[in-house]
């Protein structure tokens, strides 16, 4: 879809070092018809200062959507970002995922009405995450397996993702047994479809809120496409102190109801309450 304009929504929380690297990745995309919205779950002034500095010479519109820090409320700020988006197609990613130069190009090529796209990521260890600098991103060196292996160890699965050329990557996406689910670091969908299911369920905590949204998209009638080997991003390491057993159990209860009742609309999304007929 050559004329498709994309809104990239990047979720973040108090992680300026990683976010700066991610924003640098979007500076060097081969696809240029897009905007970036940083969906900020209550970060301090450091994030605001970073974005204001980057905005001055950024190649596309860069917006900052923020709300006050009242604990983990990622889904709420993502819903706000959805409503603020200026384009009909939305890509969701995280402030710890550096996109390869063709990342948006792949999403644009595979975007199709009636579908959402499901990508993956190449997970890096903490040492490699710190070793990647702006030069490595702008040159594309950090996406070369030789460069990565010179710095540290990298797993076989990640190596395959990074090394696979277009034809092989398409074949691997076709044969992979991994289900094409909606995920937080590399998924895209039409804004209209997201609005029609009322966006994210704001009750959800860490551990499955994106999959729950994808499950409602499927209930709504959408199909999914797998692009995990074609749309490549590097996942920088970080601690996950916000993940708890209680949050995962709560999310699983919500997802169970969505599945059993084939729910499409969440009463706890962009518009609060039941959908008006």
């Amino acid at each position: 879809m050559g004329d498709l304009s994309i809104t990239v929504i990047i979720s973040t929380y108090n992680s300026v070092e990683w976010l700066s690297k991610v924003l640098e990745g979007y500076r060097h995309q081969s696809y240029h018809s897009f905007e970036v919205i940083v969906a900020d779950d209550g970060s301090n002034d450091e994030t605001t200062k970073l974005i204001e500095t980057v905005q001055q010479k950024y190649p596309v519109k860069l917006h900052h959507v923020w709300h006050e820090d009242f604990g983990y409320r990622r889904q709420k700020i993502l819903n706000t970002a959805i409503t603020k988006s200026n384009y009909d197609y939305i890509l969701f990613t995280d402030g710890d995922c550096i996109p390869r130069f063709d990342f948006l190009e792949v999403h644009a090529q595979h975007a199709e009405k009636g579908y959402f796209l499901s990508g993956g990521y190449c997970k890096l260890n903490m040492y490699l995450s710190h070793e990647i600098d702006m030069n490595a991103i702008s040159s594309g060196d950090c996406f070369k397996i030789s460069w990565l292996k010179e710095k540290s160890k990298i797993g076989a699965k990640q190596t395959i993702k990074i090394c696979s050329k277009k034809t092989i990557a398409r074949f691997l996406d076709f044969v992979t047994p991994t289900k094409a689910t909606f995920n937080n670091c590399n998924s895209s969908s039409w804004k209209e479809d997201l609005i029609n299911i009322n966006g994210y369920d704001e009750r959800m905590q860490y551990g499955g809120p994106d999959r729950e949204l994808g499950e409602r998209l499927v209930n709504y009638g959408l199909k999914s496409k797998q692009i995990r080997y074609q749309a490549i991003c590097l996942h920088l390491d970080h601690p996950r102190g916000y993940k708890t057993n209680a949050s995962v159990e709560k999310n699983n209860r919500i997802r169970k109801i969505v599945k059993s009742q084939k729910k499409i609309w969440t009463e706890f999304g962009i518009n609060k309450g039941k959908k008006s007929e």
Side-chain angles (χ1 to χ4, degrees):
M1 223 173 256
D3 298 327
L4 181 67
S5 293
I6 301 173
T7 295
V8 178
I9 297 179
I10 304 172
S11 60
T12 194
Y13 176 72
N14 283 334
S15 185
V16 291
E17 182 184 356
W18 280 188
L19 180 61
S20 65
K21 297 179 183 185
V22 172
L23 292 174
E24 184 69 13
Y26 286 99
R27 186 189 293 277
H28 301 284
Q29 290 294 294
S30 59
Y31 195 84
H32 302 126
S33 184
F34 71 102
E35 65 175 353
V36 174
I37 299 178
V38 177
D40 187 346
D41 192 17
S43 299
N44 58 33
D45 289 344
E46 277 191 83
T47 298
T48 301
K49 290 175 183 175
L50 167 67
I51 293 171
E52 288 176 349
T53 300
V54 173
Q55 278 173 331
Q56 296 173 15
K57 293 184 179 180
Y58 212 59
V60 298
K61 290 286 182 67
L62 172 59
H63 313 276
H64 185 201
V65 177
W66 177 92
H67 62 193
E68 199 169 347
D69 187 358
F70 292 141
Y72 182 93
R73 295 191 297 154
R74 172 182 170 272
Q75 282 60 256
K76 183 174 180 60
I77 198 63
L78 286 175
N79 279 341
T80 301
I82 290 169
T83 64
K84 298 287 186 183
S85 63
N86 293 301
Y87 298 137
D88 293 333
Y89 199 74
I90 298 179
L91 186 153
F92 294 91
T93 188
D94 272 352
D96 54 19
C97 292
I98 304 172
R100 195 169 65 185
F101 75 94
D102 61 345
F103 187 72
L104 287 178
E105 184 180 334
V106 171
H107 276 269
Q109 286 173 348
H110 290 276
E112 183 180 349
K113 289 287 187 179
Y115 289 84
F116 68 82
L117 301 181
S118 173
Y121 58 82
C122 299
K123 192 172 184 179
L124 304 182
N125 59 39
M126 188 63 77
Y127 180 80
L128 268 177
S129 299
H130 283 293
E131 280 293 294
I132 293 175
D133 58 17
M134 297 304 179
N135 289 332
I137 297 168
S138 61
S139 66
D141 284 346
C142 62
F143 290 93
K144 297 174 181 175
I145 197 65
S146 57
W147 187 92
L148 292 167
K149 286 189 171 181
E150 278 180 12
K151 304 288 183 180
S152 183
K153 291 182 179 180
I154 187 164
K157 289 183 179 179
Q158 316 308 326
T159 300
I160 292 171
K161 286 180 184 176
I162 293 171
C163 291
S164 296
K165 303 300 182 184
K166 286 185 178 180
T167 302
I168 297 297
R170 284 196 296 267
F171 174 74
L172 290 173
D173 280 331
F174 180 74
V175 300
T176 180
T178 303
K179 190 177 179 182
T181 59
F182 210 91
N183 62 71
N184 60 313
C185 61
N186 186 352
S187 291
S188 60
S189 182
W190 297 94
K191 180 177 180 178
E192 180 182 15
D193 294 329
L194 296 166
I195 296 295
N196 285 337
I197 67 167
N198 206 22
Y200 280 88
D201 188 317
E202 295 176 11
R203 296 173 298 169
M204 302 281 283
Q205 297 294 304
Y206 182 86
D210 306 276
R211 287 199 173 192
E212 189 273 343
L213 179 138
E215 286 157 359
R216 281 186 287 113
L217 285 173
V218 170
N219 291 343
Y220 179 60
L222 267 65
K223 297 178 182 179
S224 59
K225 284 188 190 179
Q226 183 70 272
I227 56 169
R228 64 188 284 109
Y229 288 95
Q230 296 175 78
I232 300 300
C233 61
L234 301 177
H235 189 289
L236 306 173
D237 198 12
H238 60 87
R240 293 167 177 79
Y242 40 79
K243 182 178 182 179
T244 66
N245 289 334
S247 70
V248 173
E249 288 172 6
K250 177 183 177 181
N251 289 354
N252 285 340
R253 286 196 298 271
I254 294 171
R255 289 177 64 191
K256 187 175 181 181
I257 292 170
V258 166
K259 185 176 181 180
S260 63
Q261 298 181 8
K262 298 190 180 302
K263 290 191 64 156
I264 294 169
W265 181 267
T266 173
E267 294 85 2
F268 305 92
I270 295 168
N271 297 301
K272 304 301 182 286
K274 293 184 178 180
K275 186 176 184 180
S276 57
E277 297 299 331

